Amino acid sequence: MSNWLNVSDHHDFSIHNLPFGVYSNNGVGTPCVAIGDSIIDLKAAAEAGVFDGLGVDASVFDAPILNPFIETGKAMWSAVRSRLQESLRDESSALSASKSSILRDRLTAEMLLPLHVGDYTDFYSSIEHATNVGKMFRDPENALLPNWRHIPVGYHGRASSIVVSGTDIKRPQGQTLPPDAKVPMFGPTKRLDFELEMAFVVGKTTKLGSSISTAEAEDHIFGMTVFNDWSARDIQKWEYVPLGPFLAKNFASTVSPWIVTMEALEPFRCASIKQDPEVLPYLQYEGDHNFDINLQVDLTPENGSASTICKSNFKYMYWNMAQQLAHHTVNGCNVNVGDMMASGTISGHEEDSFGSMLELCWGGKKDIALNNGDTRKFILDGDTITMKAHCENEHFRVGFGEAVGKILPS
Ligand code: CA
């Protein structure tokens, strides 16, 4: 344990994690770091001298978003995190001396969306998910389209509707084509779904016309967060041809309030599955670029208890983040600090590891059982979806917290 707050090494927010977020300090958004059931107010910490000697401009902690801090660069992210680890291990540190003015109760803190997200891109990088959807929406025999194993398929999503965990989501309305109907109807979606995803946050701005190689890519990533890409399947089915998702996806995406740094994820790095056929040179990479991150989705009915309906893992991804970023910028597209790039739904091999209700109920053909005897195919009004993620080895745990959203009627 070895920290004066006595936070267990197997806590989601152990000393080995120290994820960044923004909390409301009496209505003022303030950058912070989670440790156990506490948060460290970074503005107060800077004022107390915790970061003295690092050369960090304290004004980056006097901002309602993390973007200015992220712009200080990878070496400074690491220096600030290391200084906090040292301070938490040293009872005579400036952090310890001023703890009453620096530490807050995390469990009662109001967390805010920690970033200005200028652009959001959603990939489609799980082969199990793409195969499942292809089987249901198109052809069971040739589920993957011919481009899928050659391109990390993605689309540009909507940044304006990204919300922080705890924000209620209104059931969207839209056009659908009912089965056997000739003309569309308008009304609330009947097939409201979640998509279990992780997103990475761009940590370095690039110029228009420049590209990021797979070797450089991880230097451009600040960290990762849990991402629920809410989806209206009936609206999606009618609208997605030929340009892809639009109103079925842009009404809301929920993120966890904490961004776990790539440095904290380093012990959980693992190999990706072998890609076949071999990809084009600009998508080839060296080393391991996947991460072993356990994922879970719970559904809680109104006034009910939580049922875990999916357990998956980020390591199942076919395309890794380095390839996604290399592909995204290979044409000269610029990216900015705070941009979010989501993985796409993360499904595993087993039926209980499918990362959406569309797959769990197999297009409406099966019931999803809940603890209380109820069943679901898609999400009902009053249901709450909770996504959780964590890495763990025999020594310690690194958790992401939760991305929670409750569905309200249209
Ligand atoms: Ca998605």
Side-chain angles (χ1 to χ4, degrees):
M1 211 171 297
S2 69
N3 62 89
W4 45 263
L5 280 172
N6 291 322
V7 176
S8 162
D9 286 338
H10 291 275
H11 194 292
D12 255 10
F13 302 125
S14 71
I15 195 170
H16 309 280
N17 189 354
L18 303 185
F20 288 80
V22 168
Y23 84 107
S24 172
N25 184 6
N26 294 315
V28 180
T30 306
C32 61
V33 159
I35 174 73
D37 293 337
S38 302
I39 58 182
I40 300 168
D41 180 315
L42 295 178
K43 180 169 180 253
E47 285 166 359
V50 171
F51 305 121
D52 281 3
L54 296 185
V56 65
D57 176 355
S59 70
V60 300
F61 300 128
D62 192 5
I65 46 175
L66 292 174
N67 299 54
F69 170 62
I70 297 173
E71 282 162 12
T72 62
K74 187 177 178 179
M76 189 58 76
W77 314 334
S78 178
V80 166
R81 182 168 170 273
S82 295
R83 177 61 62 84
L84 290 173
Q85 284 178 324
E86 291 159 16
S87 302
L88 288 163
R89 290 188 170 117
D90 177 5
E91 197 137 24
S92 63
S93 64
L95 177 58
S96 177
S98 300
K99 63 186 174 192
S100 61
S101 63
I102 297 174
L103 297 181
R104 307 275 186 269
D105 179 18
R106 186 178 59 77
L107 305 179
T108 55
E110 181 194 353
M111 298 303 298
L112 306 176
L113 187 67
L115 299 162
H116 168 68
V117 184
D119 278 302
Y120 150 49
T121 300
D122 194 21
F123 285 94
Y124 190 55
S125 290
S126 154
I127 196 165
E128 285 81 8
H129 173 69
T131 303
N132 287 340
V133 172
K135 281 180 184 171
M136 278 184 276
F137 274 46
R138 286 184 301 273
D139 178 359
E141 300 304 315
N142 295 292
L144 287 181
L145 287 167
N147 62 1
W148 199 90
R149 287 174 184 269
H150 298 277
I151 291 175
V153 171
Y155 70 98
H156 288 115
R158 184 79 195 163
S160 67
S161 55
I162 294 177
V163 296
V164 73
S165 178
T167 308
D168 291 338
I169 308 295
K170 199 161 87 168
R171 178 178 297 271
Q173 305 196 76
Q175 276 198 34
T176 59
L177 185 69
D180 305 320
K182 293 277 188 287
V183 291
M185 59 166 284
F186 179 83
T189 175
K190 296 186 176 75
R191 292 193 152 203
L192 184 58
D193 199 355
F194 61 79
E195 289 192 331
L196 170 60
E197 307 196 15
M198 299 289 296
F200 70 82
V201 175
V202 171
K204 197 170 170 184
T205 293
T206 58
K207 287 203 175 79
L208 185 65
S210 66
S211 304
I212 301 170
S213 69
T214 56
E216 297 162 331
E218 285 189 16
D219 286 341
H220 291 255
I221 300 177
F222 174 66
M224 295 179 70
T225 188
V226 186
F227 194 97
N228 180 354
D229 183 25
W230 301 96
S231 300
R233 299 301 180 192
D234 42 3
I235 297 172
Q236 182 181 358
K237 190 169 186 180
W238 172 232
E239 75 172 7
Y240 88 102
V241 180
L243 288 185
F246 190 28
L247 304 189
K249 301 278 192 173
N250 71 2
F251 58 93
S253 305
T254 299
V255 294
S256 55
W258 298 107
I259 301 166
V260 175
T261 63
M262 297 313 292
E263 205 169 51
L265 293 173
E266 190 59 42
F268 304 97
R269 189 180 285 278
C270 64
S272 309
I273 54 176
K274 185 171 161 40
Q275 294 179 325
D276 181 26
E278 189 176 58
V279 296
L280 286 169
Y282 80 94
L283 290 169
Q284 292 172 10
Y285 60 91
E286 291 185 359
D288 294 338
H289 291 281
N290 213 330
F291 293 87
D292 184 358
I293 306 173
N294 298 290
L295 307 169
Q296 176 177 327
V297 183
D298 292 353
L299 188 153
T300 310
E302 185 96 73
N303 304 318
S305 61
S307 298
T308 299
I309 57 173
C310 164
K311 285 196 167 188
S312 186
N313 194 301
F314 186 73
K315 70 184 177 188
Y316 299 140
M317 301 303 293
Y318 187 86
W319 296 100
N320 61 51
M321 294 182 284
Q323 293 179 305
Q324 289 169 339
L325 200 47
H327 183 66
H328 200 300
T329 59
V330 73
N331 63 346
C333 172
N334 53 328
V335 295
N336 289 299
V337 162
D339 286 358
M340 274 197 178
M341 310 232 171
S343 58
T345 308
I346 305 159
S347 294
H349 303 290
E350 310 303 325
E351 284 186 20
D352 63 358
S353 68
F354 294 167
S356 67
M357 292 178 82
L358 176 72
E359 293 161 271
L360 291 166
C361 79
W362 205 254
K365 293 195 174 77
K366 287 189 218 170
D367 284 328
I368 302 164
L370 305 183
N371 293 340
N372 65 358
D374 282 359
T375 60
R376 289 287 184 282
K377 288 189 166 76
F378 293 94
I379 304 171
L380 300 184
D381 291 345
D383 286 350
T384 296
I385 298 295
T386 302
M387 293 184 178
K388 304 177 196 181
H390 76 273
C391 308
E392 192 158 25
N393 60 26
E394 58 184 316
H395 305 295
F396 56 83
R397 178 172 171 121
V398 168
F400 289 78
E402 298 179 340
V404 182
K406 180 178 178 180
I407 299 301
L408 304 182
S410 294

